C-alpha cells in the first residue's frame, strides 16, 4: 500500500496522504485498446487490474492546512460487489497518515472536493464512532456538483456536507495559493485545484485521469464518466497544462506515482514521469 510522500511547490508543501486502494481493469478505461497497452507497462497488479489508490492531498502554506479530497473512509467493498471492470476498493488509513505528518484532522481549515463520489468524501462524511473528523473545516465543491448530488445523497450525508459547503467557482481561491479550476465530465461539476507558489504550479486533477495509461490516449475515460465528450475535453486541457515544465500533476488514483509530469510532449503517446518525493 502507498506511503505518505511530500514535495515542495515554491513555499507550499504538498503531501499525498493514502487512505487505501482501488482496482481498475484497463477495459474499464478504454476497452481492448487500453487493455493491450496496459499489458506492456508496469501498471498492472497480479490480478490484471491497474494498481490504484485512494487518498487525499494535504496542502500546507505556512502554519495553515487544507485537504483536497478525503478518501473512502473506513469502508471496504469486495470485488464481487463492484461494477464490471472494477475490483475491490477499501479505505481507512487517511487519518493515520495525517498524524504521521504531524497534522491533527481538527486543524484542517478547508476540505476541497474534486467531486462527490464516495471514494473522495469518505472521512468528511463519517469518522470513528460517528464523530466528525474535520470539525473545524469549511468544505468546497463545484456548484454544479453539489446541485447534482444534494438531491440524491442520503439525508445524513447532505446534512453533514451541506451545512459547511461552499461553491468552488472556476477561478476562486479556496485557500491561500489554491485556486479552483472547473474540469467537468467525470461528474457534472468536477473541479481540479491549482496550487501555485514561487512560479511553480501543481494541478490536483482528481478523476479527470484515473491511471497514467490515459496519457497515451485521452479518449480513454472511465466507464462511469457522466459526459464522455466533456471528460475528454477536460483531460486534454489538463494534459496541455501539464506539458509546461513548471507544472507538476497530482493523480490521487495513481498508486505509487501520484506526483509526476510530462517532460516530453513531442511523441504520439505521452508518458507520465514520476517526480521524486520524500517519504
Amino acid at each position: 500500500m502507498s506511503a505518505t510522500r511530500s514535495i515542495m511547490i515554491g513555499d507550499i508543501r504538498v503531501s499525498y496522504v493514502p487512505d487505501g486502494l482501488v482496482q481498475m481493469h484497463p477495459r474499464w478505461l478504454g476497452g481492448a485498446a487500453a487493455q493491450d497497452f496496459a499489458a506492456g507497462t508496469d501498471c498492472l497488479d497480479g490480478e490484471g487490474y491497474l494498481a490504484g489508490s485512494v487518498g487525499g492531498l494535504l496542502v500546507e502554506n505556512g502554519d495553515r492546512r487544507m485537504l483536497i479530497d478525503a478518501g473512502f473512509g473506513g469502508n471496504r467493498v469486495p470485488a464481487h460487489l463492484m461494477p464490471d471492470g472494477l475490483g475491490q476498493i477499501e479505505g481507512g488509513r487517511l487519518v493515520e497518515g495525517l498524524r504521521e505528518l504531524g497534522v491533527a484532522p481538527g486543524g484542517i481549515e478547508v476540505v476541497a472536493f474534486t467531486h462527490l463520489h464516495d471514494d473522495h468524501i469518505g472521512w468528511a462524511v463519517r469518522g470513528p464512532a460517528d464523530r466528525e473528523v474535520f470539525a473545524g473545516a469549511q468544505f468546497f465543491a463545484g456548484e454544479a456538483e453539489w446541485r447534482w448530488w444534494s438531491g440524491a445523497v442520503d439525508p445524513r450525508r447532505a446534512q453533514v456536507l451541506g451545512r459547511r459547503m461552499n461553491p468552488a467557482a472556476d477561478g476562486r481561491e479556496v485557500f491561500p495559493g489554491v485556486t479552483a479550476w472547473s474540469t467537468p465530465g467525470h461528474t457534472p461539476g468536477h473541479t481540479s485545484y491549482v496550487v501555485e507558489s514561487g512560479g511553480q504550479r501543481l494541478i490536483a486533477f482528481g478523476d479527470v485521469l484515473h491511471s497514467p495509461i490515459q496519457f497515451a490516449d485521452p479518449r480513454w475515460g472511465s466507464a462511469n464518466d457522466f459526459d464522455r465528450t466533456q471528460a475528454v475535453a477536460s483531460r486534454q486541457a489538463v494534459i496541455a497544462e501539464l506539458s509546461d515544465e513548471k507544472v507538476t500533476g497530482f493523480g490521487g488514483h495513481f498508486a505509487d506515482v501520484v506526483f509526476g509530469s510530462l517532460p516530453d510532449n513531442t511523441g504520439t503517446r505521452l508518458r507520465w514521469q514520476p517526480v521524486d518525493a520524500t517519504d
Side-chain angles (χ1 to χ4, degrees), residues 51-228:
S53 53
V54 293
L57 183 70
L58 175 69
V59 180
E60 297 178 275
N61 191 342
D63 60 357
R64 301 181 64 181
R65 299 176 174 92
M66 74 165 290
L67 189 67
I68 298 174
D69 286 333
F72 195 45
N75 304 303
R76 181 181 184 276
V77 180
H80 73 274
L81 294 179
M82 295 292 286
D84 181 52
L86 294 177
Q88 67 172 318
I89 180 171
E90 62 179 56
R93 287 199 55 226
L94 186 134
V95 171
E96 175 187 343
L98 286 172
R99 289 176 176 146
E100 288 175 4
L101 293 166
V103 176
I108 300 288
E109 290 184 40
V110 166
V111 180
F113 305 105
T114 57
H115 61 299
L116 300 179
H117 281 161
D118 287 350
D119 57 326
H120 293 258
I121 65 172
W123 286 102
V125 175
R126 183 186 308 179
D130 245 10
R131 295 175 183 169
E132 292 188 31
V133 175
F134 306 111
Q138 288 294 308
F139 297 156
F140 283 85
E143 189 170 11
E145 186 76 3
W146 178 246
R147 190 165 57 244
W148 188 55
W149 281 101
S150 59
V153 296
D154 63 79
R156 184 188 179 283
R157 183 184 304 187
Q159 181 183 25
V160 171
L161 295 178
R163 65 173 176 263
R164 288 188 277 155
M165 186 63 71
N166 300 276
D170 188 44
R172 179 176 182 177
E173 187 176 62
V174 300
F175 183 79
V178 181
T179 303
W181 177 22
S182 179
T183 50
H186 181 62
T187 57
H190 187 286
T191 300
S192 299
Y193 295 93
V194 181
V195 181
E196 190 162 9
S197 174
Q200 300 178 3
R201 282 185 293 155
L202 175 139
I203 300 173
F205 49 74
D207 284 11
V208 171
L209 295 122
H210 285 77
S211 168
I213 72 167
Q214 289 174 281
F215 290 107
D217 192 334
R219 294 171 299 177
W220 296 342
S222 69
N224 64 343
D225 282 343
F226 176 79
D227 184 321
R228 296 189 180 188

Side-chain angles (χ1 to χ4, degrees), residues 24-41 43-44 50 185-186 205-225 227-236 239 254 268-271:
M24 301 168 287
H25 199 281
R27 68 172 180 270
W28 188 72
L29 294 177
Q35 190 168 344
D36 290 344
F37 178 82
T41 72
C43 295
L44 300 179
L50 293 163
H186 181 62
F205 49 74
D207 284 11
V208 171
L209 295 122
H210 285 77
S211 168
I213 72 167
Q214 289 174 281
F215 290 107
D217 192 334
R219 294 171 299 177
W220 296 342
S222 69
N224 64 343
D225 282 343
D227 184 321
R228 296 189 180 188
T229 300
Q230 230 177 16
V232 171
S234 288
R235 248 186 314 281
Q236 291 171 329
I239 288 171
F254 282 21
T268 56
R269 289 191 183 276
L270 302 179
R271 296 277 183 171

